[in-house]
Amino acid sequence: MSEMQNPGAGRSEHRGAPGASMRPPEQAVDPADGMTSRQRQLHEAWVGFGWQLIQVLGALEEDEYLIINIKGSNRFVQFAGQGAHGMRVEVVSNFYLPESERLGELQHDLLLKLGWNAPSNLPDEFGHEPVGSPNYFIDLPRPLDLERIASLAVNTLIGPLDADHPLDLEYGSFAESGESIRWPTLGLRRAQP
């Protein structure tokens, strides 16, 4: 992955893994040069997670959802498959965070710099507009640039949401029909409902 570091994963209990594995692009310079051993390990962990995320996002179908959150918190990035319309991706906003987890102005600015749209309406209990979201959001048309989407998600998890390592994450995934979806190759613990 050019912007991030590198991802690769599979599918659920009801379908097989997606097609061929993606390979990291050739790079003239190793971005890990000059890093400490710990920094290199973190870099490699995030690169691997990113490639796994690309694979999962490529298999996410219409009306299927993937939510990646930081364990023990309400901070998340979520993906909604919209078929021919592409994909909606959201990051939790302060509307859904307890006071102790609220995003500060610096985190808000970082989210906007990464390309997220600011929350544009209030949650349902306060009235809801059909366009926009009470979360930070981005709507992506087909054909989907899965590398860009995974890069955005990883950079958001590392930056504004303060995840240290992919092992700090867990996921939930389901279809609109209510069917639970498993992604064993994502390499994350499945969140308990």
Side-chain angles (χ1 to χ4, degrees), residues 5 30-44:
Q5 286 97 329
D30 182 357
D33 282 349
M35 291 182 180
T36 66
S37 175
R38 166 112 170 104
Q39 289 170 328
R40 185 178 299 276
Q41 289 172 347
L42 281 173
H43 171 80
E44 290 172 3

Side-chain angles (χ1 to χ4, degrees), residues 9-174:
R11 189 54 190 179
S12 77
E13 44 198 17
H14 66 278
R15 280 177 255 156
S21 297
M22 295 193 64
R23 294 181 185 203
E26 297 298 320
Q27 294 182 349
V29 177
D30 182 357
D33 282 349
M35 291 182 180
T36 66
S37 175
R38 166 112 170 104
Q39 289 170 328
R40 185 178 299 276
Q41 289 172 347
L42 281 173
H43 171 80
E44 290 172 3
W46 283 110
V47 167
F49 171 70
W51 284 109
Q52 291 167 310
L53 183 58
I54 285 175
Q55 297 298 314
V56 169
L57 294 176
L60 198 67
E61 296 181 3
E62 185 170 6
D63 298 328
E64 292 182 344
Y65 302 86
L66 171 67
I67 303 164
I68 297 174
N69 69 286
I70 299 172
K71 292 176 186 172
S73 83
N74 289 334
R75 292 184 177 199
F76 64 80
V77 176
Q78 66 183 7
F79 308 87
Q82 296 181 325
H85 299 289
M87 182 178 288
R88 166 156 292 195
V89 187
E90 295 187 346
V91 176
V92 69
S93 75
N94 285 340
F95 284 124
Y96 301 107
L97 290 172
E99 192 170 327
S100 63
E101 290 185 41
R102 294 238 165 113
L103 304 173
E105 192 168 324
L106 176 61
Q107 292 159 312
H108 170 79
D109 291 345
L110 284 171
L111 287 163
L112 297 181
K113 285 180 184 172
L114 285 170
W116 295 99
N117 296 306
S120 59
N121 54 39
L122 298 172
D124 289 336
E125 60 265 32
F126 301 115
H128 182 75
E129 296 295 322
V131 178
S133 174
N135 286 316
Y136 294 88
F137 71 100
I138 187 166
D139 289 311
L140 301 162
R142 291 237 175 241
L144 294 171
D145 182 344
L146 298 175
E147 186 174 317
R148 176 179 171 234
I149 298 167
S151 219
L152 175 63
V154 168
N155 288 322
T156 298
L157 288 161
I158 293 171
L161 297 187
D162 281 337
D164 181 50
H165 192 282
L167 292 177
D168 295 336
L169 307 174
E170 61 187 6
Y171 80 95
S173 189
F174 59 93

